[in-house]
Amino acid sequence: MALLDILEFPDPRLRTKAAPVAEVTDATRNLVDNLLETMYAAPGIGLAATQVNVHQRVLVIDVSEEHNQPLVFINPEVTVLNPELGEYDEGCLSVPGFYETVQRPQRISVTALDRNGECFSRELDGLLAICLQHEIDHLDGKLFVDYISPVKRQRIRKKLQKEQRRQD
Ligand code: QAP
Ligand code: CO
């Protein structure tokens, strides 16, 4: 297993649209394991392959309190069950230190492949539904800061770029 580097906003590679996984192989399972290790080390509750510069439709989530319920979604497809929006203060490992309120549908169903390439479907609500939508956005090149005002987004961009120059 390996810890992977996480791309940070406004890195243009975060805007890449990820391609579907044609076949779940050992290489896919290695990616999943590395995503999980990187997410737990951060620590975070969700990580998409896009964030580690791998442009395949793979993401991992663990919203459990004990950090012992890893969930894997490969080629996830969401259907909104109830268009009613809920608000949540979202953060992102690619936007470290910033949290903003985002509105998303609260009840969804997802169909995806698991780490064995088996298809499954689940109905989701609460934080898990929010987190899954946030992570699928990454696979489409989208970030939570795209939902906030341009002024706030620009302020976050400036602060992170300054931070990144310090580290280079
Ligand atoms: C996505 O985000 C998410 O700013 C997962 O300094 C978050 O794991 C979806 C993190 C909230 C819905 C609601 C963020 C860690 C972790 C930071 C994360 C930070 C350190 C974010
Ligand atoms: Co994120």
Side-chain angles (χ1 to χ4, degrees):
M1 299 234 283
L3 281 184
L4 307 173
D5 281 334
I6 298 175
L7 301 178
E8 291 187 5
F9 178 71
D11 192 311
R13 292 172 291 183
L14 288 168
R15 299 308 185 175
T16 311
K17 189 168 166 62
V21 173
E23 192 190 351
V24 177
T25 63
D26 285 344
T28 318
R29 284 182 279 275
N30 273 332
L31 171 62
V32 163
D33 288 340
N34 291 338
L35 284 170
L36 284 167
E37 188 180 8
T38 304
M39 176 184 76
Y40 285 124
I45 60 169
L47 188 64
T50 306
Q51 293 176 274
V52 299
N53 203 28
V54 175
H55 302 289
Q56 300 179 25
R57 302 188 77 80
V58 178
L59 65 89
V60 298
I61 293 178
D62 189 340
V63 296
S64 71
E65 230 143 74
E66 315 229 291
H67 311 291
N68 59 359
Q69 287 169 53
L71 300 175
V72 175
F73 298 89
I74 300 168
N75 298 344
E77 298 287 346
V78 158
T79 307
V80 174
L81 296 179
N82 179 347
E84 206 177 317
L85 300 178
E87 286 192 339
Y88 201 90
D89 265 354
E90 296 190 14
C92 180
L93 288 169
S94 295
V95 192
F98 296 90
Y99 293 82
E100 296 289 343
T101 306
V102 176
Q103 295 191 337
R104 300 186 190 267
Q106 297 187 58
R107 275 187 54 74
I108 62 174
S109 81
V110 60
T111 301
L113 303 178
D114 66 17
R115 62 179 296 134
N116 300 313
E118 305 275 2
C119 187
F120 68 97
S121 294
R122 268 185 80 163
E123 294 188 5
L124 305 178
D125 59 13
L127 180 56
L128 186 47
I130 290 160
C131 195
L132 183 71
Q133 293 175 84
H134 173 118
E135 301 309 333
I136 291 176
D137 272 355
H138 279 301
L139 304 181
D140 292 324
K142 225 169 160 189
L143 297 167
F144 82 91
V145 294
D146 299 345
Y147 297 100
I148 66 179
S149 80
V151 170
K152 280 186 180 171
R153 185 164 56 248
Q154 185 64 6
R155 204 170 60 213
I156 293 172
R157 176 188 283 115
K158 285 273 151 63
K159 286 183 180 167
L160 282 175
Q161 281 177 324
K162 196 172 162 190
E163 189 69 33
Q164 289 156 17
R165 276 196 299 274
R166 250 200 294 276
Q167 288 162 13
D168 285 344

